Amino acid sequence: MLASCGGEGDRKIKLWKASDGSLIRTLFGSTGTIAEVAFSPDGRLLASCPASINDEFTRFWDPRDGTLIRTIPSNADNIDFSPDCATLVAAWVDIDLWRVSDGEWVQEMYADNNTIRDIEYSPDGRLLAYGTERGWTVLARNPLAPHCRYRLKRDTIPDGCGTCPRDGDIVEIGLGCDAEAECEPEFRGKIKCPYGGRGSCKKLKGKLMDCG
């Protein structure tokens, strides 16, 4: 099955049979132009996101019968399902993660205040990347996944950042872990400014706590 959405002013989604190109059904319910549609990896859900400020909702549909299952208050115009179908990532300037099972908001990630043109999970789900006019940036896998966590042994040195962690704080490092054995016993280096700030934090030194 294929899904398509029209141009400016078109509020419909059309589902097509891939084998012969015949129209299966048309989905109605959006109140503005649709920017993008995405199937979940298991094919059980279809998500659509708006391209118009007149519509501030991302929608979940059942492509088998065209039922509108739920809406979430997101006017992001780039979406992608995680490979395990558990999370929908929605992006415009910031990046939001939504739980697919109940439509609850989970977490927001900062994206350097640039308009996002595309966002994609890698096929194995280990990486999440977004593209802007400045190029592509690779983020950690689903932030809900475990990460190597370190307790700092000293204050960090701010480099244009006003929210650097201090001695005793816990920081998450790396692209995710499945077991503590995958983490280095100590971490030394620098990190991007936490909480969406600009700049970085230098001279980090921390001892491994866990993968959690």
Side-chain angles (χ1 to χ4, degrees), residues 129-142:
Y130 67 88
T132 69
E133 296 91 339
R134 299 172 61 182
W136 282 87
T137 299
V138 178
L139 297 173
R141 180 177 58 146
N142 184 346

Side-chain angles (χ1 to χ4, degrees), residues 3 36-41 45-49 59-60 79-81 88:
E36 186 174 45
V37 291
F39 281 103
S40 61
L45 287 175
L46 178 71
S48 64
C49 59
R59 293 170 170 82
F60 291 99
I79 53 176
D80 193 29
F81 283 93
L88 182 81

Side-chain angles (χ1 to χ4, degrees), residues 14-37:
K14 293 185 178 182
L15 301 180
W16 309 84
K17 187 180 295 184
S19 60
D20 59 12
S22 60
L23 179 65
I24 300 173
R25 65 178 53 87
T26 302
L27 310 183
F28 299 92
S30 298
T31 58
T33 302
I34 299 168
E36 186 174 45
V37 291

Side-chain angles (χ1 to χ4, degrees), residues 14 54 80 171 186 205 208:
K14 293 185 178 182
N54 296 322
D80 193 29
V171 296
E186 286 193 343
K205 182 179 180 181
L208 178 66

Side-chain angles (χ1 to χ4, degrees), residues 38-156:
F39 281 103
S40 61
D42 61 8
R44 295 183 178 182
L45 287 175
L46 178 71
S48 64
C49 59
S52 169
I53 59 174
N54 296 322
D55 187 0
E56 297 184 350
F57 293 94
T58 292
R59 293 170 170 82
F60 291 99
W61 312 81
D62 185 338
R64 294 167 294 184
D65 59 13
T67 301
L68 177 60
I69 298 174
R70 69 174 57 89
T71 62
I72 57 176
S74 169
N75 61 353
D77 56 7
N78 293 278
I79 53 176
D80 193 29
F81 283 93
S82 61
D84 62 3
C85 305
T87 307
L88 182 81
V89 59
W92 179 38
V93 176
D94 291 328
I95 300 169
D96 289 294
L97 292 158
W98 300 85
R99 192 163 56 223
V100 172
S101 60
D102 57 9
E104 289 294 312
W105 179 83
V106 176
Q107 187 171 341
E108 180 184 47
M109 293 182 290
Y110 184 71
D112 300 326
N113 203 33
N114 290 298
T115 300
I116 295 171
R117 301 303 184 188
D118 195 13
I119 190 160
E120 298 286 344
Y121 275 99
S122 61
D124 62 4
R126 294 188 62 84
L127 299 175
L128 178 64
Y130 67 88
T132 69
E133 296 91 339
R134 299 172 61 182
W136 282 87
T137 299
V138 178
L139 297 173
R141 180 177 58 146
N142 184 346
L144 305 179
H147 285 71
C148 300
R149 302 196 307 164
Y150 296 84
R151 186 179 297 278
L152 296 184
K153 297 180 178 181
R154 63 188 180 198
D155 290 351
T156 56

